[in-house]
Amino acid sequence: MGHIRLTGVKKCFGDVMVIPPLDLEIEDGEFVVFVGPSGCGKSTLLRLIAGLEDVTEGVVEIDGIEATSLPPAKRRLAMVFQSYALYPHMSVRKNIAFPMKMARIPQDEQERRITDAARVLNLTDYLDRRPGQLSGGQRQRVAIGRAIVREPSAFLFDEPLSNLDAALRVGMRLEISELHKRLATTMVYVTHDQVEAMTMADQIVVLHAGRIEQVGSPLELYREPSNLFVAGFIGSPKMNLIAGPVAAKYNAHTIGIRPEHIDVSANSGLWSGTIGVSEHLGSDTFFRVNIHGLDEPLTVRTDGEIGLRYGDTIHLTPNPDHLHRFDAQAARLA
Amino acid sequence: MARSVTTARKTANTIVAGALGLLMFFPVLWIIILSFKTEGDAIKAPLEILFNTGWTTESYGTVQARSNYFKHFSNSLIISLGSTFLGILIAVPAAWAMAFVPAKRTKDVLMWMLSTKMLPPVGVLVPIYLIFRDLGLLDTRTGLVFVLMMINLPIIVWMLYTYFREIPGEILEAARMDGASLREEVIYVLLPMAIPGMASTVLLNIILAWNEAFWTLNLTAAKAAPLTAFIASYSSPEGLFYAKLSAASVMAIAPILIMGWFSQKQLVRGLTFGAVK
Ligand SMILES: Nc1ncnc2c1ncn2[C@@H]1O[C@H](COP(=O)(O)OP(=O)(O)OP(=O)(O)O)[C@@H](O)[C@H]1O
Ligand SMILES: [Mg+2]
């Protein structure tokens, strides 16, 4: 079980409305990622689900039961914090056991679950250490261990990987995804890293200034962003957005084309320009191209070996099947 | 930052620090010296006392014979431990609320609590005296426990508030998510993490309560009188009393001085807690 439904949920801090009324439904077993720029209200939304903040208006339902005014302890949710929030005065074993102690689970059952969790999370050798004696990655594992032993109806993660270095982050990302496959428990995951969002999510919720811009699978968001914000936010490098007369030719206020959907040629094409900065990643090369008649340079992707370099003239043709059109209100045109 | 300090400089610093320390400790030292003199010697000129008189424990004998030291000692013990315990019991929830769920006026409440310490106690002596009389609390240890708890409560709350504020709120939230009730959150997570701060708060308050003289002198007669009253009883308007007064003082301050000595590391650590990370 782990079905979460928000209806008309609104949150104000004093006079400031951080989250205007929104509706959201999270299905049982889904991996849902909240993504958006810093300060858009991702953590606040997660904390509203957790019960760590009170909603100003609206209804929170968990597994069909109204939970709006239930304290966090009664919601059967587990949370992993960005700061890990381990109990510094307890050993790893006691940290992991704490939620079970609170739930008054019998001692031998506690032992069994700790052993299991420690094996899965590679913590067996560290059970008697204090959190202060662990590395960042190990602390993160303890926090996850503490969350899984209770067998909650959903997991809430608030940017759990942002304190880890890049290599560790990729590893932990896979571990969390695997955990989700194995447990099949609902997970709500907050991040501002759209790569994390794309790689882990079943459903992505794109937030912007407290509003839900779009909800969909990673591919839906990639293929059919419903507005300019999502178009610019999802995808790396960013989608090229072109306004003005060029867009008007396509009957749109703004058109968008991803770097990987532009054909590059040395001889002929729809647009021509000169190559500026280039980034070689081995498999791919990204060029910044200054197009004649456009203010902003475009980013294009080509495969690694192409005999063009800085200052060369280049011709570009957008792939019409992957061209996105937006109206003056920034909404997608069909 | 490493700085080179010359040996001469170091020696000079040591001498100055030592001299200042001696200056501060001198009155206590003088009391200890006087307590081992006869009454006749104790009123002589200081240099003469130091170099030209003998040593005796006569005053201690007299004091011991004339009053019941252990009664006063146990009164002091009960009053200082009792008022500290009661104060902690009240201050923990208060400081918890102020540190973790502050309201708009929390700072004002704290300032107001502290401001009661700026009031001259004698200003409320009459009302408190009358209340004590009507409630039958005069000259009782219960009464003193209450009054000392109340005068020290602002300090206890302030200190605990400062320590609690150092504890990351997310850890308490984690406890809540882990299913802990408020009581369990406080007992299993907050208090163990605040132990260094709690210990210094307790120690400081025992010391303050032990040394408190205004209320203990004014609200007691014979039964509940603690060591402060025991000292005061040796000061008299006529006759010689310096040596006996000194002996009584030494007997009164010795326990707290010894406790302070053994706990000074803890006290200093607690009082500077949060100043350096
Ligand atoms: N307790 C609070 N009181 C007042 N304003 C708050 C409080 N908590 C958050 N806010 C405001 O609410 C907005 C959303 O904050 P939130 O922490 O949810 O953002 P976020 O999306 O998690 O950002 P980040 O990616 O930086 O963590 C911010 O503008 C923040 O200043
Ligand atoms: Mg956040």
Side-chain angles (χ1 to χ4, degrees), chain A residues 47 50 52 72-73 77 79 81 83 85-90 98-99 101-102 104 146 150, chain B residues 168 170-181 183-185 187-190 192-193:
Chain A
R47 292 166 58 82
L52 294 171
L77 304 173
M79 183 144 169
F81 294 84
S83 65
L86 301 178
Y87 309 121
H89 56 290
M90 297 182 196
F98 188 74
K101 184 171 160 188
M102 293 301 106
R104 314 224 150 51
R146 192 174 63 178
R150 299 182 51 193
Chain B
E170 281 200 346
I171 294 184
L172 299 184
E173 290 178 348
R176 252 167 267 168
M177 293 302 297
D178 284 346
S181 66
R183 198 179 57 86
E184 289 165 329
E185 172 189 328
I187 293 176
Y188 292 119
V189 180
L190 179 66
M193 285 179 70

Side-chain angles (χ1 to χ4, degrees), chain B residues 51-270:
Chain B
F51 300 109
N52 214 3
T53 54
W55 300 91
T56 171
T57 55
E58 175 191 296
S59 302
Y60 286 94
T62 320
V63 168
Q64 190 63 281
R66 217 204 280 171
S67 44
N68 186 350
Y69 173 76
F70 284 101
K71 190 189 77 184
H72 297 297
F73 176 82
S74 63
N75 282 344
S76 273
L77 202 64
I78 288 170
I79 292 165
S80 51
L81 292 184
S83 67
T84 303
F85 177 75
L86 205 62
I88 290 279
L89 222 56
I90 296 172
V92 166
W96 179 89
M98 293 186 191
F100 298 112
V101 275
K104 259 200 211 110
R105 302 242 171 266
T106 296
K107 283 261 175 285
D108 301 343
V109 171
L110 275 165
M111 271 322 285
W112 168 75
M113 286 183 44
L114 205 64
S115 74
T116 61
K117 297 296 295 175
M118 300 167 195
L119 185 83
V122 71
V124 289
L125 176 60
V126 173
I128 297 235
Y129 189 91
L130 294 180
I131 292 169
F132 266 53
R133 190 196 59 192
D134 294 349
L135 295 179
L137 287 173
L138 282 178
D139 202 18
T140 62
R141 290 184 291 216
T142 320
L144 282 186
V145 164
F146 267 107
V147 100
L148 291 194
M149 180 274 284
M150 282 191 287
I151 65 162
N152 285 335
L153 194 58
I155 296 177
I156 308 188
V157 173
W158 256 95
M159 288 182 70
L160 289 184
Y161 168 78
T162 336
Y163 300 130
F164 287 180
R165 284 259 309 236
E166 296 286 319
I167 292 173
E170 281 200 346
I171 294 184
L172 299 184
E173 290 178 348
R176 252 167 267 168
M177 293 302 297
D178 284 346
S181 66
L182 182 55
R183 198 179 57 86
E184 289 165 329
E185 172 189 328
V186 169
I187 293 176
Y188 292 119
V189 180
L190 179 66
L191 293 186
M193 285 179 70
I195 274 182
M198 298 272 295
S200 344
T201 312
V202 166
L203 285 172
L204 187 74
N205 275 279
I206 290 176
I207 293 172
L208 287 178
W210 188 278
N211 296 342
E212 207 287 327
F214 179 79
W215 294 104
T216 49
L217 288 182
N218 280 301
L219 297 175
T220 60
K223 277 192 292 146
L227 286 167
T228 45
F230 160 77
I231 300 177
S233 71
Y234 282 91
S235 132
S236 62
E238 53 201 57
L240 298 178
F241 58 86
Y242 277 9
K244 286 193 286 293
L245 181 63
S246 300
S249 300
V250 171
M251 290 166 78
I253 61 178
I256 205 74
L257 215 59
I258 292 167
M259 188 195 91
W261 183 268
F262 281 113
S263 58
Q264 59 174 324
K265 253 212 196 102
Q266 177 58 51
L267 263 176
V268 171
R269 184 147 53 99

Side-chain angles (χ1 to χ4, degrees), chain A residues 212-214 224-232 326 329-332:
Chain A
I212 295 181
E213 295 283 345
Q214 189 173 1
E224 289 188 11
S226 67
N227 56 47
L228 271 181
F229 180 81
V230 178
F326 301 95
Q329 280 73 47
R332 180 184 189 82

